[in-house]
Amino acid sequence: MIARLLFTAAAVTPWLIHSAPAFAEEAADAYEAADPGDAIVVTARRRAENLQDIPVAVAVVGGEALDAQGTYNISKLTQLQPTLQFFSTNPRNTFINIRGIGAPFGLTNDGFEQGVGVYIDQVYYNRIASATLDFVDVEQIEVLRGPQGTLYGKNTTAGAINITTRAPSFEFEGKAEVSLGNYNFKQAKASISGPLTENLAARLSLSSTDRRGTIYNVATDTWINAQDNIGIRGALLWEPSDDLSITFAGDFNLQNPICCGQPYARVGTTQRALNRQYAALTALFPGYQVPSTNPFDRLTDLDADLAARNELGGLSLRAEWDLGAGTLTSVTAWRYWHWGPKNDRDFTGLPVYTKVNNPTVQNQYTQELRYAHEAEKLDFVLGAFAFYQEIRTSGIQETGPAASAWLLNPTNALSRNPAVLNGIVAENDIRLDNLSLAAFGKVNWHVTDALTISPGIRINYDKKEGLYNSVVIGTASDDTRQLITNDPAHPYYTDPWTAAQRGTQASQFFEPNFSDWNRSYDLNIAYKVTDDILAYATYARSFKTGGINLNGVPNRPDGTPALEVAQIKPETVDHFEIGLKTQFWDRAATLNVTGFWTEIKDFQASVISNVSGSNVLRGYLANADQVRVRGIEADFSVRPSERLNAYISGAFTDHEFRKFVDAPCPPELAGGTTAAPGQTPSASGTPGGISPANCDVSGQWLPGVSKWAFSWGAEYNVPATILGREGEAYLGYDASYRSKFSSNASRSIYTDISGYSLHNFRAGFRTERFDIFGWVRNAFDQNYFESLAVTPGNTGLISAQLGDPKTWGGTIKFTF
């Protein structure tokens, strides 16, 4: 019944981005029975509620709409959700933001938390790498915008993504779906569900996606950035009585493509000495030339091995006990993550770095206990949450024969000897033990039939204990393998070869830790103006817990690690929001508007610092003083008849660093001699110039956020009979647009990404039992960047993460 409600309401709410029926097998019946009074049921506030009655900005997308539009992971979901941003150069380097906030941009670090919580069947997924995998048998996705700290907690300062998969059914059912397309795209999905006994039901779901890469690597004669995903999910539902249900679920997900590489995008002039910038460095290798200076030729020459093996899985046990006046819920889960990467860190076809591999193993354990009470005047949710995470990374980095010329100053005679930096090996041992405990509560006081006041609170305790141990070994001038250390007492400290190697990378060891209590709270006031108009206002004080830097830190002049920057302060968020949810035209049309204003103190951001006395740039996390994000979101949908439905959603987001005086400088202001006190830095892009130690980016854009973002679409259908089968033919169109945005931690003239729009079409025929359609995505073959990145060393080379080109294919689905 809930599935039917989800379908029939899709056309009258903007939050179910609806372009196809919720499920094809009931299409005809659903169209005839559609009742404007039907409601979308969501669990955004940890209980089943009508979407239009909750005073929260929530976007909902149904599983069938996801399938119809080819939205099979969160990356694709951004084309339907204007205020959701997703950036990924590989599964570990993945960031999800809502309204422009959530995670520091462009830096991987296990010691900090995301600001957008991902929950699947009420289980918290700490590793955002799960977002790059395919959805498996999804019922619906709820995107909660704004802080959700009192009910979801665990650092949901920007919002939460709540994914619900299809539950086991006590009626036999199943479906199968196959898609084929260009680039050798092959995708198959299947699920089957039914009773095993009178009170025990099971469901098994499988998904597989395979696609050739879209970038050709001339160095290895392979197509890279491919897709190779498989997912399996099983669940058992036991209902020993009408009051108790217990669901045991397990899943396994594997992503193992030839991936990931970012091709040459452009070169910009920095303040590094001219003979140490990209053009001069590549000229040191006669005959070397990048395959193409046009990134949209989709060519690269990366010479190191590439891999992105991403394996996730876990088990969960959820018990729900109806106690009459309320429901007691327990969610117990274990999840694991195995990450097996291989990267080309120099982003060229030269053997500068031959290995940059940091495989990671994680285990996490969670336990949540909630009681949701319902009464005429007072509803509330009380709960407790425990989380423990263990991460172990054992990585390796190795330089090659081109490293001496590329990394050493040409004034150093050793730069002309390939043996000096060839074979420097850094073996990294990185560990994190992460504990989080919380107690929370949320009350809905129905003062009158129209007025509801809802306060909430959450108390958190977080503790992180880490270890960073990088042991660097190189070859000394006497051909012996020696430790590269900052310790002047080491016998090879003054050896010229090991001194040159130390300037590139040296051993480092430290054990950072963090622990703290914090309190999140909010107050929401909702007023039902009429049955079809809800007005609300919210204030929230939220926190994102502090963290620790686990990718190394800068060294002090004496060579010891700068432990003062090993710890990252918590973020403090003050959030204000007002909203209006309306339905009209006999509820055939919906218009919802939200205004928000978010101020963040000690915003966790990426910074870069020179290692004293060397040419090494060390990236780490620190805190920007103040950030502000404010804007307006509007969503409209209409279904004037059972044959036509349409929607449009838009967002205006004003975003800036209110105060960030010691930010990393963009590449055009970096790489030169560091300015002494009172010394005036050189103009942008002055080779060999004077660079500021850091830059004041107050008033500048946050990275990754467009000022304007829209999504829109429509579907039209007509009754039709084909080969004697009655059904309907349909034509669908969906599109999205985002304006210019910055793709660097500090805005750079080299990394702004121009606005672009994407257009998708589909046409098909469906009956109660099958659906067959053809589709074209990015129909006008728009060339666009998903992100641009400044490569290590400040040589001026900018690499690109390219969006998909035009893809096309067909899909056939059967249900039984």
Side-chain angles (χ1 to χ4, degrees):
M1 181 60 185
I2 289 178
R4 183 184 292 271
L5 292 177
L6 287 169
F7 162 68
T8 54
V12 295
T13 178
W15 283 283
L16 184 56
I17 306 300
H18 173 78
S19 302
F23 44 93
E25 70 272 21
E26 292 192 357
D29 290 345
Y31 275 124
E32 294 171 3
D35 180 353
D38 286 340
I40 291 181
V41 177
V42 296
T43 58
R45 297 198 299 177
R46 299 302 199 182
R47 55 159 60 94
E49 296 176 290
N50 179 348
L51 176 64
Q52 285 298 104
D53 289 340
I54 65 171
V56 179
V58 185
V60 182
V61 186
E64 292 298 329
L66 293 168
D67 292 343
Q69 298 173 17
T71 306
Y72 51 85
N73 56 36
I74 291 179
S75 172
K76 306 293 183 183
L77 186 64
T78 59
Q79 296 183 25
L80 305 179
Q81 300 290 313
T83 53
L84 182 67
Q85 296 94 31
F86 179 94
F87 305 97
S88 179
T89 54
N90 63 45
R92 190 166 186 254
N93 260 22
T94 297
F95 310 92
I96 299 177
N97 287 350
I98 293 176
R99 295 172 173 170
I101 55 178
F105 193 83
L107 184 65
T108 299
N109 187 331
D110 288 326
F112 77 98
E113 308 287 348
Q114 302 286 331
V116 177
V118 176
Y119 294 79
I120 301 181
D121 290 334
Q122 303 186 42
V123 176
Y124 173 66
Y125 281 49
N126 182 264
R127 295 315 309 171
I128 212 68
S130 61
T132 66
L133 293 169
D134 291 357
F135 299 139
V136 180
D137 208 14
V138 167
E139 179 72 38
Q140 70 178 34
I141 298 177
E142 303 168 17
V143 179
L144 289 73
R145 306 191 293 263
Q148 307 297 324
T150 57
L151 284 180
Y152 285 85
K154 199 56 192 155
N155 309 297
T156 51
T157 51
I161 298 175
N162 187 26
I163 300 173
T164 304
T165 65
R166 293 184 174 92
S169 169
F170 282 95
E171 293 184 4
F172 181 73
E173 63 181 30
K175 66 176 183 176
E177 173 183 327
V178 175
S179 299
L180 299 175
N182 62 338
Y183 296 98
N184 296 328
F185 177 78
K186 300 179 287 292
Q187 187 175 72
K189 300 179 182 180
S191 67
I192 188 169
S193 184
L196 300 179
T197 67
E198 183 179 357
N199 55 12
L200 182 66
R203 187 174 199 95
L204 180 65
S205 308
L206 301 96
S207 174
S208 175
T209 302
D210 183 79
R211 192 186 77 180
R212 192 204 78 189
T214 57
I215 296 174
Y216 181 66
N217 190 343
V218 301
T220 58
D221 189 27
T222 56
W223 291 91
I224 67 170
N225 293 9
Q227 296 180 19
D228 183 8
N229 303 343
I230 187 169
I232 302 172
R233 188 175 190 86
L236 292 171
L237 172 61
W238 181 41
E239 295 185 345
S241 68
D242 292 341
D243 299 330
L244 179 63
S245 67
I246 299 174
T247 303
F248 177 71
D251 67 280
F252 170 82
N253 303 272
L254 177 63
Q255 185 181 54
N256 195 22
I258 303 174
C259 193
C260 299
Q262 292 75 49
Y264 174 108
R266 61 178 64 118
V267 170
T269 304
T270 74
Q271 292 191 344
R272 221 180 187 205
L274 195 59
N275 61 1
R276 305 198 66 196
Q277 299 201 34
Y278 179 81
L281 291 172
T282 55
L284 296 174
F285 302 90
Y288 177 75
Q289 187 174 5
V290 66
S292 176
T293 56
N294 179 0
F296 297 106
D297 286 341
R298 297 181 180 272
L299 297 173
T300 191
D301 62 348
L302 302 178
D303 59 323
D305 291 340
L306 298 178
R309 191 180 191 279
N310 184 32
E311 179 185 334
L312 299 103
L315 301 171
S316 66
L317 183 67
R318 184 175 75 249
E320 296 172 301
W321 187 13
D322 186 349
L323 300 176
T327 301
L328 183 66
T329 302
S330 172
V331 184
T332 307
W334 160 73
R335 297 209 58 77
Y336 77 93
W337 175 52
H338 292 174
W339 168 234
K342 295 180 180 179
N343 302 294
D344 192 328
R345 188 171 178 265
D346 55 74
F347 297 86
T348 72
L350 298 169
V352 180
Y353 290 96
T354 55
K355 292 180 182 178
V356 182
N357 313 328
N358 285 289
T360 296
V361 175
Q362 177 206 288
N363 285 278
Q364 74 163 57
Y365 307 86
T366 56
Q367 173 64 56
E368 185 165 6
L369 190 65
R370 297 192 311 272
Y371 176 69
H373 175 82
E374 297 184 13
E376 183 177 349
K377 283 292 185 182
L378 200 68
D379 302 329
F380 63 82
V381 175
L382 295 176
F385 176 77
F387 166 89
Y388 176 73
Q389 173 190 45
E390 185 179 85
I391 299 179
R392 299 293 183 264
T393 300
S394 300
I396 186 171
Q397 178 174 291
E398 185 172 342
T399 54
S404 294
W406 192 270
L407 300 175
L408 294 179
N409 195 319
T411 60
N412 186 339
L414 294 179
S415 69
R416 295 181 285 279
N417 186 342
V420 176
L421 296 190
N422 187 27
I424 299 178
V425 176
E427 294 186 342
N428 303 319
D429 181 9
I430 305 172
R431 306 178 190 181
L432 173 68
D433 293 287
N434 185 5
L435 174 68
S436 182
L437 304 172
F440 58 90
K442 182 79 172 179
V443 175
N444 297 320
W445 175 32
H446 307 292
V447 181
T448 69
D449 291 342
L451 177 64
T452 300
I453 299 175
S454 304
I457 189 170
R458 188 182 191 100
I459 299 173
N460 287 280
Y461 172 75
D462 292 283
K463 181 180 181 181
K464 291 180 170 69
E465 295 180 333
L467 177 145
Y468 178 84
N469 185 20
S470 181
V471 178
V472 183
I473 304 292
T475 302
S477 56
D478 61 3
D479 286 335
T480 61
R481 297 288 288 172
Q482 296 295 330
L483 183 70
I484 308 303
T485 175
N486 285 304
D487 181 6
H490 193 275
Y492 279 82
Y493 183 82
T494 58
D495 178 79
W497 284 36
T498 55
Q501 293 165 4
R502 183 169 61 251
T504 302
Q505 186 170 3
S507 302
Q508 189 176 81
F509 176 87
F510 61 97
E511 295 181 278
N513 61 78
F514 172 87
S515 64
D516 196 15
W517 292 86
N518 66 62
R519 183 176 67 253
S520 298
Y521 51 89
D522 59 27
L523 177 64
N524 178 278
I525 300 175
Y527 186 75
K528 198 79 171 177
V529 181
T530 70
D531 287 343
D532 296 328
I533 300 176
L534 175 71
Y536 67 91
T538 298
Y539 167 71
R541 164 62 69 92
S542 190
F543 291 86
K544 184 164 76 172
T545 186
I548 51 179
N549 277 298
L550 284 178
N551 278 3
V553 296
N555 282 334
R556 299 188 185 99
D558 63 359
T560 59
L563 297 182
E564 63 271 17
V565 300
Q567 193 175 97
I568 312 159
K569 290 187 290 186
E571 289 183 358
T572 303
V573 179
D574 286 295
H575 175 79
F576 303 86
E577 185 168 317
I578 57 173
L580 194 66
K581 295 187 173 185
T582 69
Q583 290 182 304
F584 52 95
W585 200 4
D586 289 333
R587 297 188 179 176
T590 300
L591 173 64
N592 297 329
V593 180
T594 305
F596 61 91
W597 188 303
T598 305
E599 301 268 0
I600 304 177
K601 181 182 177 182
D602 293 325
F603 181 77
Q604 294 171 0
S606 300
V607 301
I608 298 175
S609 174
N610 279 299
V611 178
S612 178
S614 78
N615 63 349
V616 177
L617 291 177
R618 173 72 76 181
Y620 63 99
L621 289 175
N623 297 92
D625 294 295
Q626 293 179 356
V627 160
R628 183 185 67 199
V629 179
R630 57 187 178 181
I632 298 174
E633 303 161 340
D635 303 90
F636 174 74
S637 71
V638 62
R639 185 171 187 170
S641 73
E642 64 183 31
R643 300 299 168 210
L644 175 66
N645 64 79
Y647 70 90
I648 182 170
S649 298
F652 167 78
T653 307
D654 178 58
H655 51 95
E656 68 177 23
F657 290 106
R658 291 284 287 163
K659 183 181 180 183
F660 194 9
V661 297
D662 55 353
C665 292
E668 60 269 28
L669 288 174
T673 302
T674 302
Q679 194 172 20
T680 302
S682 303
S684 296
T686 302
I690 299 172
S691 298
N694 44 52
C695 286
D696 184 351
V697 299
S698 303
Q700 291 189 15
W701 288 356
L702 297 177
V705 194
S706 295
K707 182 169 286 190
W708 297 96
F710 296 93
S711 62
W712 65 94
E715 183 183 289
Y716 182 73
N717 68 77
V718 295
T721 301
I722 298 179
L723 299 177
R725 295 182 178 273
E726 294 184 358
E728 55 191 28
Y730 61 92
L731 175 66
Y733 164 68
D734 300 283
S736 62
Y737 166 79
R738 63 178 307 182
S739 61
K740 178 189 289 189
F741 63 96
S742 167
S743 186
N744 195 52
S746 294
R747 191 178 180 189
S748 167
I749 58 176
Y750 305 133
T751 56
D752 271 3
I753 294 179
S754 300
Y756 58 86
S757 63
L758 302 175
H759 304 264
N760 309 318
F761 296 89
R762 66 188 178 280
F765 175 73
R766 59 186 169 228
T767 72
E768 294 182 358
R769 293 298 179 191
F770 76 88
D771 185 0
I772 182 169
F773 62 97
W775 43 265
V776 181
R777 294 160 191 154
N778 189 6
F780 304 123
D781 204 18
Q782 172 73 58
N783 288 329
Y784 67 101
F785 298 117
E786 290 185 343
S787 63
L788 292 169
V790 179
T791 61
N794 213 53
T795 66
L797 175 62
I798 307 296
S799 67
Q801 182 71 22
L802 303 179
D804 279 348
K806 178 170 68 176
T807 58
W808 50 265
T811 299
I812 184 168
K813 297 193 288 186
F814 293 94
T815 61
F816 54 89

